[in-house]
Amino acid sequence: MNDLSMLDLILKASLLAKFVLLLLVAASGVSWYVIFSKRGLFSRMASSAEKFEDRFWSGGNLADLYESVRKNQETEGLAAIFTAGYEEYTRQQTAGRSAPEDQLAAVSRQMRVAQVREVERLEGGLAMLATIGSTSPYVGLFGTVWGIMAAFVSIGAQKQASLATVAPGIAEALIATAMGLFAAIPAVIAYNFFTRSVERMENRYHTFAEEMLGIIDRGLRHARQA
């Protein structure tokens, strides 16, 4: 029975089979690293967004909020979008040569650029999860085919089809299949989960940007009427 232990089968596997297993183990390790790092990022971004929205709607003015953001060195999420919009708004106000509609459009462009950057930050690493999730089963399948081929070669060499003859090759093949699924399944689940999380955060960013543009638009209209 010891001859058929998993560790013994891996150690006695062919060089190509070992390479396939090592590749799948590495892919699984990368996948879990991305999963844990993205989980921490999304948790941090959601918490900071909630806190920033509370401050934004607390009744203070935008200038005080901007100074608070700069003092605390907040450079991610809603704070980054707000900073981009407010700084462009102050530049437009300082220049004072553009029509209110042009000023609002300029602020909107800067906030949109900041929003795209923040979404790209959230999406970082998801392509790796998608690649691991889609290719690992095929890498495992390659190892499976190789193990079955080794089993048939063993049968041909010994000219008998006993269990002892085919068991090592078949077991090697099944191990490769299992490792391919072990690497792929968490990656696919995490990719789908994080993709939905990105969509939710993107909608949150977009809604905030529209609300801030509404506030700036009302300020510009009031200044023009005055």
Side-chain angles (χ1 to χ4, degrees):
M1 181 63 68
N2 292 334
D3 293 338
L4 294 180
S5 67
M6 181 175 294
L7 179 60
D8 193 65
L9 287 170
I10 293 175
L11 294 176
K12 292 182 179 180
S14 63
L15 184 62
L16 181 59
K18 290 179 180 177
F19 174 75
V20 169
L21 292 176
L22 181 62
L23 184 62
L24 291 173
V25 169
S28 179
V30 172
S31 174
W32 282 106
Y33 172 78
V34 173
I35 289 172
F36 285 119
S37 62
K38 299 303 291 184
R39 181 62 179 172
L41 174 63
F42 276 100
S43 178
R44 186 177 76 249
M45 298 300 282
S47 177
S48 64
E50 184 174 350
K51 293 178 181 177
F52 186 85
E53 285 180 332
D54 291 340
R55 292 159 59 196
F56 184 80
W57 295 112
S58 63
N61 59 59
L62 298 183
D64 291 340
L65 180 58
Y66 175 72
E67 291 301 324
S68 175
V69 168
R70 290 191 59 188
K71 181 180 179 180
N72 296 327
Q73 297 182 342
E74 300 174 53
T75 58
E76 293 180 333
L78 292 182
I81 298 172
F82 166 79
T83 300
Y86 184 81
E87 289 179 347
E88 181 61 28
Y89 170 69
T90 55
R91 281 194 295 267
Q92 293 293 327
Q93 289 293 294
T94 302
R97 294 188 296 270
S98 302
E101 294 78 8
D102 296 333
Q103 295 181 29
L104 189 66
V107 173
S108 178
R109 283 193 299 270
Q110 291 300 317
M111 295 183 71
R112 193 179 308 116
V113 170
Q115 180 180 338
V116 170
R117 290 198 187 104
E118 293 307 308
V119 172
E120 288 177 348
R121 185 202 303 271
L122 295 176
E123 290 176 338
L126 296 188
M128 179 64 70
L129 289 179
T131 301
I132 293 174
S134 60
T135 59
S136 293
Y138 295 102
V139 176
L141 180 61
F142 175 75
T144 301
V145 173
W146 187 265
I148 294 175
M149 289 174 56
F152 279 110
V153 169
S154 178
I155 292 174
Q158 298 185 22
K159 297 181 181 179
Q160 58 179 346
S162 64
L163 180 60
T165 303
V166 299
I170 297 299
E172 179 182 313
L174 295 178
I175 291 174
T177 302
M179 282 302 304
L181 295 176
F182 179 79
I185 292 174
V188 172
I189 294 174
Y191 174 79
N192 292 331
F193 175 79
F194 289 136
T195 298
R196 290 192 295 270
S197 298
V198 169
E199 292 175 354
R200 288 194 295 269
M201 288 301 297
E202 186 175 8
N203 291 334
R204 192 170 191 173
Y205 292 160
H206 179 74
T207 301
F208 171 80
E210 291 297 319
E211 291 171 340
M212 183 172 170
L213 285 173
I215 294 174
I216 294 176
D217 184 36
R218 289 191 294 272
L220 292 173
R221 290 177 184 273
H222 177 75
R224 181 172 57 181
Q225 292 173 358

